[in-house]
Amino acid sequence: MGKYSTSAEWADVVPIPQNDGGPNPLAAIAYTEEYSEAMSYLRAVMAAHERSERVLKLTEHIIRMNPAHYTIWLYRANTLFDLQKQNQSNLEEDILEELKWLDGISLKHLKNYQIWHHRQNLLSALSTLPQTELPFLALMLSKDTKNYHVWSYRQWLVRHFALWDNNTEITYIESLLELDVRNNSAWNHRWFVLFGRDVDPKSGRGMDEVGNIIDEDLLDREVEFAKGKIRLAPQNQSPWNYLRGLLRKRGSLLECKEFAEEFVGDAEGEGCRSSHALDFVADCWVEKEEKEKAGKALELLAKRFDPIRRNYWNWKRGLLGLEAVEAGPLEA
């Protein structure tokens, strides 16, 4: 006898068992009896379109057994909103109460997408950001600073609540980069906060590309910020990509050519401290139409400093009309 079949609260419900294709299914999933019973009762209440407190308890029970079941999360959200309308209760208070419960589930299942979609559904119904939300996200990211689901949700949060000018976001990002300058997720979020609102949702193009004025002071500040982080770890690709993105908004890499040359050593690559700097310098030479110098930089990358991607560097040489180079001594 199960939890629900012996409960007076559920005596009026006729459970609907899972149909795996007849009495002898080809590949039936070996669910536990507890899970099978709970799902049988959920199918019954869903078929009856029931929205009630007992349904919330049922969905909580199933979620604790299987937090990746998207249908359960969706039905729970619909039940919450319907109950709020039926009871005429305070929507914000109801959502905050749900968030408290959800926080515990989130901390137990760090990489669960459905949890974050449910959280987004909840906050979509609010006009202001709860004070507890950003501290909770900081707690989540302290467990895993590169949790994709948390970062994706945080980007949605910034856009939904218009946090573009909220210094809290930039301050928080800078604290993460102080801890780990190689945190590519933090670099990505910094770009999103500073430049994401300038993206045209319809075309996907930056607004500066379709006629808006570029904020030169912002670009100057961010160029210097990227340079400072590059000096800390020259072989860290993230700030080099960030720097390229900034300079692309101005249409040229050349203003930082001398900076990049600080890390590439001499013409033969002696003293080179960053393959990313060498790649940057190669693109600067291409921009200056100095294809032989660009080709030499690409040759050094292919032979000595990034031979694992030799085919890529040779492809770039081919774009310049130059021949492919063979494996260097470090790869032989």
Side-chain angles (χ1 to χ4, degrees), residues 244 253 278-288 294 316:
R244 281 175 175 271
L253 301 178
L278 195 57
D279 181 23
F280 188 98
V281 170
D283 286 343
C284 287
W285 286 126
V286 170
E287 189 176 330
K288 290 174 68 69
K316 292 191 73 171

Side-chain angles (χ1 to χ4, degrees), residues 120-282:
Q120 184 173 322
N121 277 342
L122 295 174
L123 268 74
S124 295
L126 299 179
S127 58
T128 58
L129 179 67
Q131 293 182 351
T132 56
E133 194 65 4
L134 293 181
F136 177 71
L137 296 187
L139 175 61
M140 285 294 301
L141 289 172
S142 72
K143 307 292 183 183
D144 179 359
T145 58
K146 300 180 182 181
N147 188 319
Y148 172 80
H149 302 304
V150 180
W151 282 114
S152 296
Y153 171 77
R154 191 167 189 132
Q155 287 196 2
W156 173 84
L157 210 68
V158 168
R159 189 177 294 281
H160 183 75
F161 290 103
L163 304 179
W164 308 108
D165 297 317
N166 186 339
N167 288 331
T168 301
E169 286 298 290
I170 294 301
T171 301
Y172 175 64
I173 291 303
E174 291 183 356
S175 72
L176 290 181
L177 292 175
E178 285 293 323
L179 291 172
D180 178 11
V181 73
R182 295 174 176 82
N183 188 337
N184 55 299
S185 299
W187 281 104
N188 181 67
H189 192 67
R190 185 181 184 92
W191 180 274
F192 177 78
V193 171
L194 294 176
F195 303 106
R197 65 174 158 188
D198 294 330
V199 174
D200 180 355
K202 293 183 179 179
S203 69
R205 298 172 59 195
M207 296 301 285
D208 52 298
E209 298 178 47
V210 292
N212 280 25
I213 297 174
I214 297 173
D215 187 338
E216 294 291 349
D217 290 339
L218 173 61
L219 289 182
D220 287 341
R221 185 193 77 190
E222 290 303 298
V223 165
E224 292 307 311
F225 180 83
K227 286 181 177 179
K229 298 304 182 185
I230 286 171
R231 289 190 174 96
L232 292 176
Q235 191 53 19
N236 176 18
Q237 189 173 11
S238 293
W240 284 107
N241 287 342
Y242 192 83
L243 182 62
R244 281 175 175 271
L246 296 168
L247 299 178
R248 188 178 295 118
K249 287 183 173 293
R250 285 177 168 161
S252 173
L253 301 178
L254 295 180
E255 71 174 87
C256 288
K257 177 174 175 292
E258 291 185 7
F259 168 76
E261 288 174 334
E262 297 176 21
F263 306 95
V264 302
D266 62 22
E268 297 301 320
E270 296 302 322
C272 179
R273 293 185 287 151
S274 172
S275 62
H276 308 303
L278 195 57
D279 181 23
F280 188 98
V281 170

